Amino acid sequence: MHMADALLSPPISAIMTAVSAGALGYSAIKMKKEGESALDESADRKIPVMGVMGAFVFAAQMINFTIPATGSSGHIGGGILLAAMLGPCGAFLTLAVVLTIQCLFFADGGLLALGGNIFNMGFFACFVAYPLIFKPIAKGGLDAKRAGAASVAAAVAGLELGAFSVVLETLASGITELPFATFVTLMLPIHLAIGIVEGIITAGVLCFVMQARPELLDFSGLGPAPDGEREGSMSFQKTLAVLLVLAALAGGGLSLYASAYPDGLEWSMEKTAGTAELERSGGAYEIAADIQKTTAFMPDYDFKSAEEGASLGASAAGIAGGAITLGLACAVGAVISASKKRGRKNAAA
Amino acid sequence: MPQPDFGFSGATLGLKALELLAEGDTVIHRLHPFVKLMTTIVYVVVVISFGRYEIAALMPFFFYPAILMPLSETPCAAISKRLLPALPFALFGGLSNIFFDRTPMVIMAGMAVSGGVVSFVSIMIKTTLSVSAILLLVSTTGIVSLSRQLAALGIPDAIILQFTLTYRYLSVLAEEAGTMYDCYMLRSSDSRGIRMKDMGTFVGVLLLRGIDRAGRVYAAMKCRGFACSLPTHDSARAFDICYLFIVCGTIILLRCFT
Amino acid sequence: MLHVKNLSVTYPDGHKALSDVTFTLHDGERVALIGANGAGKSSLIRAIMGLLPISDGEVAVDGISLSKRTARDIRRMVGVVFQNPDDQLFMTRVYDDVAFGPRNMGLSEDAVAERVNSALAQLDISRLKDRMSDRLSVGEKRMAGIASVLSMSPGALLLDEPSSSLDPRARRILITTLRSLPQAALIATHDLDLVKRLCTRVIVLQDGMLSAEGNSDDILFDEKKLEQFGL
């Protein structure tokens, strides 16, 4: 689900970065407050746990599992597991850090796309699926069945929202030509399968931790937790989640507006509308077309403008010029490298 | 035979290799981290901002990695090897263009090249350029300098601390996971990896061990005076500022005049 | 140097790890801390370093009493070598691990380098300087772990099981090296032979309580007592 830089337009990247930065700032402040109000020792204990949970999710994402009956494989996202152990804010921070490290050191997901990736993979799981789905189900005692139901439902919801958001962001950027319907029918089922497996694994881990070290868990589903206090914080979280979802939707609408290439979605719809295949999935198409109609500022489909084609050079000459430039770049690199080597040899002699 | 443990040790080895590269001592390594961070961001933004049928105009941007790589003595293989995992998603998005955008755009050697192929090539080039730029930033700056720089830019301490610790614990956890995986495999009758029914316990045990281990590592760090605030960097030198203006200026000029 | 007075530590789950422990470690003195598994040796070391909340009593180093505020100073004066060197070494290169402490003290890079070099030379492991930490043998890791503490030039060392899982030669080197160090040392160990060779005094912990204290020779030759201590 990691988006690359080349598929997102700068305006979309900027908006997503701003949204994620806001959520991160909020989480950091909240964590800090929590740390200050808690006793010195317990706050201190949370720091290594957060770090190791991040590393853990990182490592867990490297274990691929086979998705039953599909023949393909996937890996867990870890958002729900993190939230259940660290609370939404801690989980969001941790996931953001994991994604940053993946981006910087493993080239997994782009740097400009980082905001979008954090939002897609962190926000929905931590601030939507966990407080609104996992917690209500897990409330009032957590046995294996309940843990399973809560984890699967939350993991699926988080992943599907994230996957849908990937589709929206990519199409709003207008760099890929993938039609909306095709993209959605590709993304959603596969993430449904991944979500179910992730939910089962999450439940397994949570059940284990519950037996071995219940004090490590965040949620109130166990034993005599101070109920009134928890209830209060829960409703606060609900309000917050609703507000953030609204903000996100507003941001999404804005991003369609602000996109430098609003043609992607329109174009793919025009294209696909002509084919018989899409008429079957008319529902999704119509909804998308409605969103498009109300938000797009370029109503015409005149996307492939003359300038765009022309800038390529539209001829063999353009391509030759490009090849020469590329060759020149490599040559310069080789010359620098050679002169460096010679310099080192001289220094050694 | 699937070997998840290879994934762990491979990943940590990769991290270590990048970290060792970052310890080099070249003109690029000595640049102020802020300067490197800014030029990388400007470069990536500019590369990404080109239109989707743009290929020729992107070519000059190959100069950036081509010059930086030898100057920083980063082996080409170190970058290209890490480029590979970045490509699948772009490939997926890009390939679809070939299928869905069939309008002929360029006539080359008597063959019509569709707009889809052109935009596909453009996407792949952009991915290659932006990913190499990011990898070059990391392989010449290193995690410690980078996180200090992030702290200096006002990113909250909590996030920076998290960043450093997650990075540190990766190898700790990989080690535990590797040992546990070996023990599991030696005693399991089939060699097809961890069974689904054992996954919860396996991952759970790994987690608890990791947490305990991390607690001890953190204690050892605190005993040696670690207080999560990082000392700040020296201020930028004239050379750094020149580099910043020249490189960013060139990149932006290239964007304006192509 | 180090004074521990009526120290008690209770874990949050109610388990009493230490109760009413009192002893003194004088300048330049090497004292063994022995006791069965789970007797509280590691807890004592962690409590002295301010890693465990103290429920009662006092820890003082050179007249400075341990509190949340002074923990950093105490950690500068007392160095801990943990049982598992992998917990202690977490940087890529040995050099950086040994430099970690001095760097946290805010020293300049030159001063850091000087400290690292002298710590490595003191333990005769200068050759390990540029090696990767996780490519060392257990014996080398142990030495690197000690160096990472020595570079902070502490007045006292706390060592947790320093000779565990070392081969006989590495163990001999360790003993010679420890004997050459001028610092006061509190050594938690099961290795009674090492105690005989290194320590003048012995403190015995049993179920979190100080059950005996005295000359190494007196305690170590009393087999009946040792059996009773779980050793």
Side-chain angles (χ1 to χ4, degrees):
Chain A
M1 221 204 256
H2 294 66
M3 295 187 295
D5 274 340
L7 290 180
L8 283 188
S9 65
I12 299 281
S13 306
I15 290 166
M16 296 321 291
T17 306
V19 173
S20 290
L24 269 178
Y26 166 80
S27 301
I29 291 168
K30 190 140 188 253
M31 289 298 293
K32 201 173 174 194
K33 262 191 203 143
E34 227 170 79
E36 272 160 10
S37 64
L39 287 167
D40 164 62
E41 259 314 298
S42 68
D44 227 30
R45 209 166 289 163
K46 207 164 185 177
I47 290 169
V49 172
M50 274 178 68
V52 83
M53 285 300 293
F56 175 76
V57 166
F58 198 112
Q61 292 193 348
M62 284 173 185
I63 314 178
N64 275 332
F65 50 74
T66 14
I67 301 166
T70 60
S72 79
S73 65
H75 62 72
I76 69 169
I80 299 298
L81 180 64
L82 284 177
M85 294 193 63
L86 303 169
C89 290
F92 186 68
L93 271 185
T94 308
L95 258 181
V97 164
V98 169
L99 289 167
T100 310
I101 293 179
Q102 281 175 337
C103 155
L104 288 178
F105 294 88
F106 294 91
D108 204 357
L111 182 65
L112 299 184
L114 187 59
N117 282 329
I118 291 176
F119 183 79
N120 298 339
M121 283 181 266
F123 180 85
F124 291 115
C126 301
F127 290 115
V128 182
Y130 178 69
L132 300 184
I133 296 171
F134 186 96
K135 270 193 157 182
I137 300 180
K139 207 168 73 176
L142 199 69
D143 48 37
K145 252 188 225 158
R146 238 177 230 258
S151 308
V152 171
V156 167
L159 276 173
E160 291 287 329
L161 283 171
F164 192 65
S165 164
V166 168
V167 173
L168 287 185
E169 286 158 26
T170 315
L171 292 185
S173 294
I175 291 168
T176 171
E177 305 276 348
L178 210 56
F180 176 76
T182 317
F183 204 175
V184 166
T185 46
L186 268 173
M187 287 293 277
L188 297 194
I190 192 80
H191 283 99
L192 175 68
I194 295 177
I196 292 173
V197 177
E198 158 150 25
I200 294 170
I201 294 178
T202 304
V205 177
L206 287 181
C207 285
F208 179 84
V209 175
M210 209 156 51
Q211 283 164 10
R213 215 81 68 80
E215 74 275 10
L216 283 175
L217 294 175
D218 161 76
F219 54 83
S220 55
L222 321 139
D227 261 319
E229 190 190 322
R230 287 281 182 176
E231 220 61 61
S233 72
M234 165 104 171
S235 68
F236 170 69
Q237 269 163 352
K238 250 184 197 161
T239 331
L240 177 82
V242 171
L243 276 177
L244 283 172
V245 169
L246 284 178
L249 285 180
L254 265 179
S255 69
L256 284 176
Y257 235 130
S259 166
Y261 308 99
D263 47 318
L265 199 54
E266 289 179 39
W267 180 84
S268 45
M269 273 187 277
E270 189 213 39
K271 262 268 159 84
T272 36
T275 69
E277 211 179 339
L278 199 92
E279 259 145 34
R280 268 181 274 135
S281 54
Y285 162 65
E286 266 160 37
I287 294 167
D290 274 337
I291 298 172
Q292 188 66 17
K293 251 180 230 159
T294 47
T295 54
F297 60 86
M298 267 167 61
D300 56 335
Y301 288 169
D302 186 17
F303 49 91
K304 216 168 280 170
S305 64
E307 296 97 74
E308 257 187 300
S311 70
L312 179 75
S315 69
I319 292 163
I324 291 169
T325 321
L326 180 60
L328 212 58
C330 293
V332 169
V335 168
I336 299 176
S337 179
S339 74
K340 270 228 155 193
K341 261 185 208 143
R342 192 175 305 158
R344 230 176 302 156
K345 238 180 238 164
N346 289 347
Chain B
M1 183 179 126
Q3 283 187 316
D5 63 333
F6 179 76
F8 291 130
S9 45
T12 43
L13 280 184
L15 279 181
K16 291 244 157 92
L18 270 183
E19 204 168 325
L20 284 180
L21 278 179
E23 278 172 6
D25 188 26
T26 66
V27 197
I28 305 298
H29 284 87
R30 282 193 292 267
L31 280 173
H32 197 270
F34 174 75
V35 170
K36 282 187 270 190
L37 189 65
M38 281 322 289
T39 44
T40 306
I41 291 175
V42 169
Y43 177 81
V44 176
V45 169
V46 166
V47 164
I48 301 306
S49 72
F50 277 102
R52 67 166 127 148
Y53 296 115
E54 204 65 76
I55 292 180
L58 282 170
M59 288 300 159
F61 287 88
F62 272 102
F63 275 107
Y64 181 79
I67 292 174
L68 234 58
M69 249 188 258
L71 271 187
S72 62
E73 289 167 21
T74 309
C76 196
I79 302 293
S80 51
K81 209 168 58 195
R82 288 183 178 78
L83 253 172
L84 291 176
L87 293 179
F89 192 92
L91 200 68
F92 170 70
L95 267 181
S96 61
N97 288 10
I98 297 183
F99 292 109
F100 292 105
D101 182 357
R102 295 219 173 118
T103 337
M105 242 186 114
V106 192
I107 308 291
M108 222 171 88
M111 288 224 317
V113 177
S114 70
V117 172
V118 173
S119 61
F120 169 70
V121 172
S122 173
I123 287 175
M124 297 315 277
I125 291 177
K126 284 182 195 166
T127 307
T128 310
L129 289 177
S130 54
V131 170
S132 349
I134 296 165
L135 287 173
L136 275 169
L137 166 72
V138 176
S139 72
T140 59
T141 311
I143 178 89
V144 178
S145 304
L146 210 55
S147 42
R148 276 185 204 174
Q149 189 51 53
L150 292 175
L153 288 176
I155 308 269
D157 277 353
I159 297 178
I160 302 291
L161 179 64
Q162 203 47 37
F163 187 72
T164 350
L165 285 183
T166 303
Y167 182 78
R168 284 286 159 244
Y169 291 156
L170 257 179
S171 46
V172 171
L173 211 67
E175 238 167 79
E176 297 278 355
T179 320
M180 276 177 63
Y181 183 75
D182 289 343
C183 294
Y184 181 95
M185 292 315 286
L186 285 175
R187 284 178 296 156
S188 72
S189 45
D190 67 307
S191 54
R192 275 182 296 132
I194 294 154
R195 280 182 295 268
M196 269 310 267
K197 75 175 170 57
D198 298 332
M199 202 67 173
T201 328
F202 186 87
V203 177
V205 170
L206 175 63
L207 182 61
L208 293 191
R209 280 204 200 175
I211 289 175
D212 290 343
R213 189 81 197 281
R216 293 198 298 271
V217 171
Y218 187 61
M221 286 168 80
K222 277 209 305 186
C223 280
R224 288 193 273 154
F226 181 73
C228 83
S229 58
L230 295 154
T232 44
H233 268 288
D234 315 327
S235 51
R237 295 161 298 148
F239 178 72
D240 293 320
I241 295 164
C242 286
Y243 178 91
L244 180 68
F245 279 107
I246 292 174
V247 176
C248 290
T250 316
I251 292 170
I252 291 165
L253 279 181
L254 266 176
R255 177 72 184 99
C256 295
F257 290 108
T258 47
Chain C
M1 179 73 220
L2 170 70
H3 299 274
V4 174
K5 215 171 133 192
N6 305 110
L7 183 70
S8 294
V9 167
T10 310
Y11 280 106
D13 61 5
H15 170 69
K16 219 164 168 76
L18 294 172
S19 47
D20 204 20
V21 174
T22 303
F23 72 91
T24 303
L25 181 68
H26 300 288
D27 278 332
E29 181 190 35
R30 280 190 297 273
V31 174
L33 176 63
I34 62 178
N37 293 327
K41 301 191 295 295
S42 298
S43 297
L44 178 57
I45 289 182
R46 295 173 72 86
I48 293 174
M49 298 308 285
L51 294 169
L52 281 179
I54 295 173
S55 36
D56 206 7
E58 193 194 8
V59 172
V61 179
D62 273 347
I64 299 176
S65 172
L66 173 71
S67 70
K68 214 166 128 183
R69 218 161 23 82
T70 59
R72 283 200 77 176
D73 303 316
I74 302 268
R75 287 169 189 167
R76 226 171 250 197
M77 293 187 280
V78 182
V80 191
V81 180
F82 284 83
Q83 186 169 356
N84 185 350
D86 287 326
D87 293 339
Q88 196 137 13
L89 306 175
F90 42 79
M91 304 295 259
T92 318
R93 287 187 316 156
V94 171
Y95 180 93
D96 292 311
D97 255 315
V98 180
F100 182 81
R103 278 188 186 142
N104 282 330
M105 292 162 77
L107 298 177
S108 74
E109 251 342 273
D110 291 340
V112 169
E114 197 177 301
R115 287 201 176 207
V116 173
N117 290 331
S118 86
L120 291 173
Q122 212 174 347
L123 300 177
D124 199 20
I125 49 166
S126 300
R127 69 205 136 81
L128 301 181
K129 191 161 121 182
D130 289 316
R131 293 268 298 277
M132 278 169 89
S133 298
D134 60 349
R135 290 273 182 278
L136 302 179
S137 73
V138 180
E140 289 169 335
K141 277 186 186 171
R142 177 74 58 192
M143 286 300 181
I146 298 177
S148 73
V149 168
L150 277 188
S151 60
M152 299 179 72
S153 43
L157 291 174
L158 307 182
L159 297 114
D160 198 352
E161 293 285 0
S163 64
S164 65
S165 62
L166 290 188
D167 64 39
R169 194 167 58 108
R171 190 171 155 277
R172 275 197 301 276
I173 296 174
L174 175 87
I175 292 177
T176 331
T177 313
L178 287 181
R179 200 181 284 155
S180 70
L181 296 178
Q183 275 92 353
L186 181 68
I187 306 173
T189 185
H190 296 302
D191 186 344
L192 298 184
D193 179 59
L194 174 132
V195 176
K196 276 181 207 158
R197 285 155 184 257
L198 269 180
C199 305
T200 44
R201 220 151 47 89
V202 173
I203 296 169
V204 186
L205 274 184
Q206 211 175 358
D207 296 327
M209 279 177 289
L210 200 77
S211 64
E213 187 179 357
N215 260 338
S216 307
D217 298 341
D218 299 346
I219 291 186
L220 295 180
F221 285 105
D222 194 340
E223 301 238 337
K224 221 190 262 167
K225 260 206 178 134
L226 284 180
E227 176 63 33
Q228 187 194 326
F229 297 147
L231 290 164

